[in-house]
Amino acid sequence: MKEIKNNFLERLWEMVIKPYQVPPLLELLRCLNQRFELPPDERQQYINLEKGHEGEQKFSVLLENLTNDCLILHSLLLKCNNTLFQIDALLIFENMIYLVDVKYYEGDFYIDSDNWYTLSKKEVHNPVLQLNRCVSLFRRLLQKYGVTLPVKGYALFNHPEFTLYHAAPELPIILPTQINRFMKQLHKISSKTNNKHMQLAQKLLSDHRDESPYTHLPAYSYEQVKKGIVCASCHSLLTSLIGSRVICNGCGKEEKVDDAVLRSIKEFMMLFPDRRITTNAILEWCKIVKSRNTVRRILGKYFTIKGHGNYAYYVNSDQKDDE
Ligand SMILES: [Zn+2]
């Protein structure tokens, strides 16, 4: 379990117990998308993840401005009664927990007898039903923990171009034009969290599950994936090596060869966690770098060598022993 600072006397404002991070599946799909033609379903999934990420990241930035005493956890995946459920953001105040589902819908939507549609009449999942399901599972989980704090759930729509027609005012939703007011309300909450709140946050953190992103990827093989160094700025493979700099012929971005190769090694490790990192493997992977010495030098600088001669390979420097 992660260590958390326990000094309450010094703490005057919010504490982010679990910060927002780019979802691992999104990171993988970003990598793969540059080098491999994603099948239509996965491509759509990738686009949706990028949008969801944009919304959640924007909301996490807003929460950074909170100055009152509360504990914040982002992106939790929890299980209650054998059902998995996901929480985008959880704000634990002294006397109330806010559960916020962030929706980054774009465009015009309307509600017709509890169903949600786009203006072109395409039905979408009812976000309020999703929210209610999530809140009710979370309440049950709190019961199991023996925690009696009340929970308020909101679906927060933070795309600036989202419009919703026929919405009843009592719905637990926050529209783009209401976000400032919602944040002001949060600011005004008088709260002093204590050890019990911190224990709850720790319990949630330890019950959080990290889902393996690999189960959601399309099938791809090493041979199918394009080799080369992806531009750090426009993500194209239009890069070439000139002297000690990698230069993009698409957007003009320049990067030091060390940085570009290190970035590419990390992509290689993400996409092919079972393949060994050797000088030859990285030479082939980076393609535009022809110098064995350059690759060996970079590997030697950032990784730990194992084995000898032709059997040498590299592991992460913090990895003590992998077999
Ligand atoms: Zn570029």
Side-chain angles (χ1 to χ4, degrees):
M1 192 162 50
K2 283 169 199 151
E3 267 189 30
I4 293 165
K5 202 173 77 174
N6 252 318
N7 194 343
F8 295 104
L9 291 171
E10 280 180 12
R11 187 158 65 80
L12 294 166
W13 51 79
E14 53 128 305
M15 189 186 251
V16 180
I17 305 296
K18 185 171 184 294
Y20 179 71
Q21 281 172 329
V22 180
L25 179 59
L26 176 58
E27 268 191 300
L28 266 164
L29 285 169
R30 275 179 179 169
C31 269
L32 199 55
N33 183 47
Q34 309 310 326
R35 300 173 180 270
F36 177 77
E37 177 111 14
L38 291 174
D41 284 357
E42 278 82 2
R43 180 149 180 79
Q44 193 53 51
Q45 181 190 30
Y46 167 56
I47 293 167
N48 294 344
L49 277 170
E50 279 290 6
K51 286 199 105 178
H53 158 67
E54 209 177 322
E56 283 192 58
Q57 191 175 40
K58 277 189 178 175
F59 184 56
S60 77
V61 171
L62 277 187
L63 289 182
E64 280 170 17
N65 298 322
L66 279 187
T67 48
N68 34 4
D69 183 346
C70 71
L71 307 176
I72 298 176
L73 295 100
H74 287 278
S75 320
L76 288 168
L77 183 63
L78 299 164
K79 197 175 196 179
C80 185
N81 295 359
N82 265 326
T83 313
L84 277 174
F85 64 104
Q86 203 180 317
I87 296 175
D88 291 342
L90 202 65
L91 287 72
I92 305 174
F93 288 93
E94 182 181 358
N95 298 313
M96 176 72 74
I97 298 178
Y98 286 81
L99 185 158
V100 183
D101 212 354
V102 182
K103 296 286 175 197
Y104 208 56
Y105 291 8
E106 181 182 353
D108 300 333
F109 291 76
Y110 69 94
I111 303 177
D112 186 9
S113 51
D114 271 354
N115 298 320
W116 288 53
Y117 302 90
T118 64
L119 271 200
S120 54
K121 297 198 164 30
K122 191 178 152 226
E123 189 171 352
V124 294
H125 284 299
N126 180 338
V128 175
L129 282 186
Q130 285 177 5
L131 173 77
N132 290 343
R133 172 184 170 272
C134 182
V135 169
S136 116
L137 284 163
F138 182 64
R139 284 198 183 115
R140 267 190 265 173
L141 190 66
L142 288 183
Q143 261 175 22
K144 279 192 180 170
Y145 291 173
V147 172
T148 50
L149 281 171
V151 180
K152 255 188 198 169
Y154 291 101
L156 180 135
F157 294 84
N158 59 350
H159 194 290
E161 293 185 23
F162 173 77
T163 302
L164 182 62
Y165 295 100
H166 310 312
E170 63 272 15
L171 283 178
I173 57 178
I174 297 155
L175 299 170
T177 49
Q178 300 172 318
I179 294 175
N180 279 343
R181 231 178 313 149
F182 177 64
M183 290 310 296
K184 277 183 196 158
Q185 273 175 28
L186 291 181
H187 269 289
K188 280 191 206 145
I189 296 171
S190 120
S191 165
K192 186 139 187 47
T193 59
N194 57 38
N195 224 350
K196 286 235 160 68
H197 301 92
M198 186 56 94
Q199 275 166 10
L200 169 61
Q202 286 183 333
K203 180 88 181 108
L204 289 166
L205 198 59
S206 70
D207 283 353
H208 162 73
R209 293 147 184 270
D210 274 316
E211 215 184 1
S212 164
Y214 293 96
T215 50
H216 299 281
L217 287 181
Y220 59 92
S221 69
Y222 178 76
E223 288 68 30
Q224 286 173 312
V225 170
K226 285 188 202 134
K227 317 298 184 287
I229 292 182
V230 168
C231 168
S233 173
C234 74
H235 311 297
S236 75
L237 277 166
L238 302 167
T239 51
S240 37
L241 180 69
I242 298 172
S244 62
R245 304 189 80 78
V246 169
I247 293 170
C248 176
N249 304 312
C251 74
K253 164 91 183 170
E254 286 189 26
E255 196 181 13
K256 282 188 212 148
V257 66
D258 284 34
D259 296 344
V261 169
L262 186 60
R263 211 161 40 76
S264 305
I265 298 172
K266 285 182 181 158
E267 284 184 25
F268 178 79
M269 292 165 72
M270 254 204 286
L271 291 176
F272 301 101
D274 299 330
R275 284 181 93 94
R276 277 205 166 156
I277 306 164
T278 63
T279 309
N280 281 339
I282 298 308
L283 270 170
E284 187 176 274
W285 179 246
C286 293
K287 200 165 122 186
I288 59 167
V289 180
K290 307 289 181 202
S291 159
R292 178 171 285 277
N293 282 340
T294 301
V295 169
R296 196 179 283 143
R297 178 177 57 73
I298 296 167
L299 281 169
K301 191 166 161 192
Y302 297 100
F303 297 84
T304 302
I305 192 163
K306 298 250 165 175
H308 300 282
N310 288 339
Y311 300 101
Y313 62 98
Y314 295 82
V315 294
N316 263 330
S317 294
D318 49 11
Q319 216 169 311
K320 294 282 180 289
D321 232 339
D322 69 334
E323 52 202 271

